[in-house]
Amino acid sequence: MCFYGPTCRDIFFTLFSHLGEDRLEGMVVHRAECRPVVTDSYMKLKNLAILYSILTVINVTVISFNTEFGSKMEYEKKKKTEGKMVRAERQLVLDMLFSAFEKHQYYNIKALVDITKQPVTYLKEIMREIGTYNSKGVHKSTWELKPEYRHYQSDEEEMQTT
């Protein structure tokens, strides 16, 4: 262990040998470098330490799986199998969107991407033309069709006709 610097005084240190037999304790006063005297007993000690490190087997047990890393791997596999999202023909995307909006009135962008398998920017570009984005209220962060594109009746219109 080596301590030095402007506040090296008043630092207490303890130095243990590899086998735990020798011990040196004290206060740091001056920086010092210690080098062993290379003798036969020192070389035997080093050989034993090397053999000990080679012969010891470290067993690793995985306690928990890092879910962030696992989900990234799954995403990479999915991306490789499905490939990049390619822009489909505009009319085909419009047909998919209209059929989706016949089932439900409101969709968030992620659901629309899953339904159409189109890039987000392309989908938003189309949705700006045919839909309105709800930024407030109960249906916050969702898209709905503009009234001129709706093929279904709203609840108020249904009550007026009955």
Side-chain angles (χ1 to χ4, degrees):
M1 211 180 265
C2 182
F3 294 96
Y4 70 94
T7 59
C8 68
R9 293 182 191 270
D10 303 329
I11 296 177
F12 187 79
F13 73 95
T14 305
L15 182 65
F16 296 98
S17 74
H18 180 70
L19 299 175
E21 296 171 2
D22 302 322
R23 188 165 116 175
L24 179 66
E25 294 182 357
M27 299 287 281
V28 175
V29 178
H30 297 287
R31 180 174 178 215
E33 292 183 19
C34 301
R35 293 188 184 146
V37 178
V38 182
T39 60
D40 289 336
S41 63
Y42 175 73
M43 295 309 289
K44 285 181 187 176
L45 179 69
K46 292 305 284 179
N47 285 336
L48 282 173
I50 291 169
L51 282 174
Y52 179 74
S53 67
I54 291 171
L55 295 176
T56 54
V57 177
I58 299 172
N59 292 327
V60 177
T61 305
V62 177
I63 295 173
S64 66
F65 185 70
N66 187 346
T67 56
E68 183 179 319
F69 179 71
S71 63
K72 187 172 184 176
M73 285 177 44
E74 290 171 7
Y75 172 75
E76 293 296 329
K77 280 184 184 177
K78 180 181 161 191
K79 192 173 177 182
K80 282 183 181 178
T81 57
E82 291 181 5
K84 266 187 155 182
M85 289 188 187
V86 180
R87 290 185 175 197
E89 197 175 314
R90 186 176 182 80
Q91 190 58 45
L92 182 66
V93 176
L94 285 171
D95 291 340
M96 286 190 280
L97 287 171
F98 288 136
S99 67
F101 278 105
E102 285 176 2
K103 296 174 187 167
H104 299 287
Q105 186 177 358
Y106 301 98
Y107 281 99
N108 61 15
I109 195 70
K110 187 176 179 183
L112 291 173
V113 168
D114 290 341
I115 291 169
T116 60
K117 306 284 190 248
Q118 296 300 306
V120 177
T121 54
Y122 183 54
L123 203 53
K124 282 185 178 180
E125 180 184 314
I126 294 173
M127 285 305 298
R128 282 188 197 105
E129 293 176 18
I130 66 166
T132 56
Y133 183 72
N134 297 314
S135 57
K136 297 179 184 176
V138 180
H139 302 288
K140 184 177 180 182
S141 304
T142 58
W143 289 89
E144 67 176 318
L145 288 179
K146 288 181 179 176
E148 58 264 23
Y149 294 106
R150 291 184 189 154
H151 297 291
Y152 52 86
Q153 293 181 340
S154 66
D155 294 336
E156 296 172 5
E157 292 176 8
E158 287 179 13
M159 291 205 178
Q160 289 176 357
T161 57
T162 55

